[in-house]
Amino acid sequence: MFKSNNRKILISASLIIAGMMGGCTDKFEEINTSIMPEYTSDKAIIFDGEHYDEDINKMISPFIFEGPYADYQRATNLFHDIYAHYFAHNKADFSGSSPNYVYNEGWIGKRWEHFYYERVKEYRTLLKYMKAAPVWNAKAKAVADINFSFLTSMMVDTYGYIPYKYVFDTDISDNKTLKYNSEKEVYTDLFLKLKTASQVLSKSSETEYFQIDATSDNFYQGDYDKWRKFANTLRLRLALRISNVDPQMAKKEGESAIRDGVFASNADNLATHSQTQENIYYLCSHAWLDAVMTKDLEVAYKTWSNDLDPRCPVLWYKTGPEDALRHGVEIGQKPGTTFGQYMGHKIGQIDGIKHSTENASILKADARKDPKGWFSIHQEAVWMGYAESCFLMSEASLRGWSGAASSPKQFYKMGVEASMNYYGVAEEQSAKYISELHDVADGIFESGDKEKVLEAIQKQKWLAVFPNGNEGWAEFRRTGYPRLLNNENNMSATVKQGLFIKRIRYTVEQHDYNAANIPSAVYGPDDRMDVRIWWDVDNSNDDSGKPKPQNNFR
């Protein structure tokens, strides 16, 4: 049995009515040459000022909270988090499924379902409501656009081509009408929407009536300036994502994002605050014992600097008896056992999967909000942080983009420091770790070899982005870094042996009802999962399964 952390949302009668108002009479118009039309209606919503704020806030709340959080174990942890090599499976029953590149409709199908049948509908309804008083809702609409762009970016990075434009001018329940757009079309529109939203949020408005309630905005509690910085930082993330396939567009969008202002501290981090719900990582690893440390993380923590990475003991328990760890007690190494060590499983491993804490580390957590257990029951989940922003700036500097005024090395150090600060690592301990990093001590940043410098940046970025598998997997596919261990037991019929998985196939529902629109010419009749999506320009391995040289500066 699989666990779901979905909330039951109580929807007001006014929200239900608003959702019903979209029908065959709905019409759309294009704004700012965006390929995604704005929602309009020939039945204008009556704006009486009495319940309007309450209704919009009730719609915004699940739209923001549930976005990356809904059904997390099935929709993300068993796929993206594993493919980023952040978590290995710890349950033998999982071995014949996603950890070994086998598509599982009952798991990853939830991602498609929640996005197209919930988030898209919420977004459509918000646009309709806000259309009733566009001047008064300009900033709230900008927030909705930013959040939808964020969610869409994760979808297009997961599947490649996705239904985008046409889902807004057809009935989403009619799967036969969902036409697909290419990654380039989607990315182009996301850049436009994010830039426009950032500009709206940067202006003062005396006519602004509606303010998103702090309790409805789980990410930023109604702080529009933080939403503005998130829009720009997300735009920089996406710009670098396409830097190998469309360097001119990447440079243009990236430089614009930097000029408009990106994250400046950990206070800007975009995170889901679990409030009265259990933290998703706490559940997957500590509570259920389904997700454990990977061998890749174990190696990184132990070998990338002279001493153990100080983030490791903050985040992970040493192996040991489950009962002891449940009470926050770690024991020392014990002869004849694997106890007292930071240990990880290999991705796809079958032998030695015991669903226990004796031979693989689980997240350090506590059923209370305990600072000694980082992934405590109510800990936030970060989807984009200041540390990532620093590494984005480091790469932007390496590529010579204007606005990235410091050197790649300086931004790199800032990124590591930001990550350490976030986890409460002492300043002197952080400085020691950085000075002893082999990539720093060996003079990689002074070598003049851009590829080696990028690899160094990506290694620490991978550690800092943990445990966000959406981003970790995307960046590994884009750059080939860090060098990750091959899957131990690839059982997929659509991922060639020796290669890493590159995308997720489309749902059974899409194949059953919308096959004519699926881009089979791109992914093949069997919807292969080893076909690279647009911005992923090369494989990490050669045909024999050995790592191949990467070229990220075309």
Side-chain angles (χ1 to χ4, degrees), residues 423-481:
Y423 290 117
V425 175
E427 186 175 341
E428 59 273 16
Q429 195 176 9
S430 173
K432 183 176 185 296
Y433 171 80
I434 294 172
S435 67
E436 294 179 353
L437 279 167
H438 301 317
D439 288 335
V440 173
D442 293 346
I444 294 296
F445 286 89
E446 292 75 34
S447 68
D449 187 328
K450 288 187 176 181
E451 197 67 39
K452 288 184 178 179
V453 173
L454 180 63
E455 181 176 7
I457 293 169
Q458 290 298 113
K459 286 163 65 177
Q460 283 299 318
K461 182 180 179 182
W462 178 71
L463 287 176
V465 168
F466 172 86
N468 180 5
N470 287 284
E471 189 59 18
W473 182 33
E475 282 296 274
F476 171 63
R477 287 178 286 160
R478 174 178 76 94
T479 65
Y481 304 127

Side-chain angles (χ1 to χ4, degrees), residues 196-244:
T196 301
S198 173
Q199 291 172 338
V200 169
L201 294 178
S202 67
K203 297 176 182 178
S204 59
S205 175
E206 295 180 359
T207 58
E208 188 76 18
Y209 169 80
F210 175 73
Q211 171 70 39
I212 296 177
D213 187 76
T215 59
S216 299
D217 177 4
N218 185 278
F219 286 164
Y220 287 130
Q221 296 74 55
D223 188 328
Y224 288 155
D225 192 56
K226 288 186 177 180
W227 275 104
R228 177 189 62 81
K229 285 186 280 188
F230 169 55
N232 296 327
T233 311
L234 177 59
R235 192 154 43 117
L236 180 57
R237 172 197 276 181
L238 300 182
L240 285 166
R241 188 90 86 235
I242 67 170
S243 57
N244 285 332

Side-chain angles (χ1 to χ4, degrees), residues 315-498:
L315 297 172
W316 300 93
Y317 277 127
K318 294 178 181 178
T319 52
E322 180 181 339
D323 287 345
L325 298 183
R326 294 287 187 202
H327 291 86
V329 177
E330 292 181 291
I331 66 171
Q333 295 190 19
K334 185 177 180 180
T337 73
T338 55
F339 291 175
Q341 304 175 57
Y342 294 109
M343 294 181 63
H345 289 327
K346 294 180 179 179
I347 299 299
Q349 181 176 327
I350 294 177
D351 295 336
I353 303 299
K354 301 179 179 180
H355 204 235
S356 78
T357 60
E358 297 181 3
N359 66 341
S361 297
I362 61 170
L363 288 177
K364 183 170 284 189
D366 195 287
R368 303 158 295 174
K369 194 167 185 180
D370 183 352
K372 294 181 180 178
W374 182 263
F375 287 98
S376 61
I377 193 168
H378 297 319
Q379 180 63 294
E380 65 186 20
V382 176
W383 310 115
M384 174 173 272
Y386 173 55
E388 181 190 344
S389 179
C390 291
F391 289 116
L392 294 174
M393 292 293 287
S394 180
E395 183 178 349
S397 176
L398 181 64
R399 293 184 180 277
W401 291 1
S402 65
S406 297
S407 68
K409 185 177 182 179
Q410 183 59 36
F411 279 125
Y412 167 89
K413 288 185 174 182
M414 289 168 61
V416 180
E417 289 168 355
S419 178
M420 296 285 179
N421 289 341
Y422 178 73
Y423 290 117
V425 175
E427 186 175 341
E428 59 273 16
Q429 195 176 9
S430 173
K432 183 176 185 296
Y433 171 80
I434 294 172
S435 67
E436 294 179 353
L437 279 167
H438 301 317
D439 288 335
V440 173
D442 293 346
I444 294 296
F445 286 89
E446 292 75 34
S447 68
D449 187 328
K450 288 187 176 181
E451 197 67 39
K452 288 184 178 179
V453 173
L454 180 63
E455 181 176 7
I457 293 169
Q458 290 298 113
K459 286 163 65 177
Q460 283 299 318
K461 182 180 179 182
W462 178 71
L463 287 176
V465 168
F466 172 86
N468 180 5
N470 287 284
E471 189 59 18
W473 182 33
E475 282 296 274
F476 171 63
R477 287 178 286 160
R478 174 178 76 94
T479 65
Y481 304 127
R483 296 293 192 178
L484 300 176
L485 298 171
N486 287 350
N487 188 299
E488 285 284 287
N489 291 282
N490 176 2
M491 300 178 183
S492 174
T494 63
V495 179
K496 183 179 178 181
Q497 293 297 319

Side-chain angles (χ1 to χ4, degrees), residues 266-332:
N266 280 317
D268 295 326
N269 292 357
L270 180 88
T272 295
H273 305 274
S274 53
Q275 299 169 328
T276 58
Q277 273 202 306
E278 300 92 339
N279 174 273
I280 48 178
Y281 301 111
Y282 160 83
L283 291 175
C284 292
S285 184
H286 187 91
W288 301 332
L289 305 185
D290 290 347
V292 295
M293 181 188 286
T294 62
K295 180 61 68 173
D296 301 87
L297 274 174
E298 177 192 338
V299 171
Y301 288 142
K302 293 178 178 178
T303 68
W304 286 1
S305 188
N306 289 349
D307 296 321
L308 181 72
D309 189 316
R311 289 167 290 194
C312 179
V314 174
L315 297 172
W316 300 93
Y317 277 127
K318 294 178 181 178
T319 52
E322 180 181 339
D323 287 345
L325 298 183
R326 294 287 187 202
H327 291 86
V329 177
E330 292 181 291
I331 66 171

Side-chain angles (χ1 to χ4, degrees), residues 50-271:
E50 185 175 353
H51 302 293
Y52 189 78
D53 289 16
E54 178 183 352
D55 291 345
I56 289 186
N57 275 305
K58 285 182 178 179
M59 284 183 265
I60 283 177
S61 181
F63 179 56
I64 291 176
F65 181 88
E66 295 289 354
Y69 223 59
D71 250 320
Y72 190 84
Q73 184 186 33
R74 292 183 288 186
T76 303
N77 185 250
L78 285 164
F79 286 83
H80 300 67
D81 291 353
I82 288 176
Y83 302 155
H85 291 226
Y86 283 156
F87 291 100
H89 78 289
N90 195 40
K91 193 172 185 178
D93 291 349
F94 294 170
S95 294
S97 193
S98 58
N100 288 309
Y101 295 170
V102 176
Y103 178 80
N104 187 314
E105 175 77 8
W107 299 356
I108 192 62
K110 294 296 181 182
R111 174 174 285 241
W112 189 278
E113 176 184 324
H114 287 303
F115 181 76
Y116 284 106
Y117 289 89
E118 295 172 7
R119 305 293 86 78
V120 166
K121 286 189 174 182
E122 290 159 358
Y123 182 58
R124 283 166 57 109
T125 308
L126 280 167
L127 293 185
K128 180 190 292 185
Y129 245 59
M130 292 174 179
K131 197 75 177 181
V135 175
W136 287 344
N137 291 306
K139 292 188 177 181
K141 180 184 177 298
V143 167
D145 287 343
I146 294 167
N147 190 58
F148 186 74
S149 297
F150 168 55
L151 300 179
T152 301
S153 71
M154 292 187 287
M155 290 294 291
V156 71
D157 288 351
T158 295
Y159 297 98
Y161 280 60
I162 58 171
Y164 183 69
K165 174 181 177 180
Y166 292 96
V167 300
F168 296 91
D169 55 15
T170 57
D171 181 354
I172 192 65
S173 65
D174 181 3
N175 295 290
K176 296 178 182 179
T177 67
L178 298 182
K179 296 183 180 180
Y180 284 67
N181 290 98
S182 70
E183 302 99 313
K184 184 172 183 177
E185 289 177 303
V186 176
Y187 261 72
T188 300
D189 201 69
L190 295 184
F191 284 133
L192 176 59
K193 296 194 80 63
L194 290 169
K195 181 177 179 63
T196 301
S198 173
Q199 291 172 338
V200 169
L201 294 178
S202 67
K203 297 176 182 178
S204 59
S205 175
E206 295 180 359
T207 58
E208 188 76 18
Y209 169 80
F210 175 73
Q211 171 70 39
I212 296 177
D213 187 76
T215 59
S216 299
D217 177 4
N218 185 278
F219 286 164
Y220 287 130
Q221 296 74 55
D223 188 328
Y224 288 155
D225 192 56
K226 288 186 177 180
W227 275 104
R228 177 189 62 81
K229 285 186 280 188
F230 169 55
N232 296 327
T233 311
L234 177 59
R235 192 154 43 117
L236 180 57
R237 172 197 276 181
L238 300 182
L240 285 166
R241 188 90 86 235
I242 67 170
S243 57
N244 285 332
V245 69
D246 195 336
Q248 290 184 334
M249 179 188 288
K251 187 173 188 288
K252 174 187 172 184
E253 295 295 338
E255 290 181 342
S256 175
I258 294 170
R259 283 195 303 272
D260 290 346
V262 297
F263 285 172
S265 73
N266 280 317
D268 295 326
N269 292 357
L270 180 88

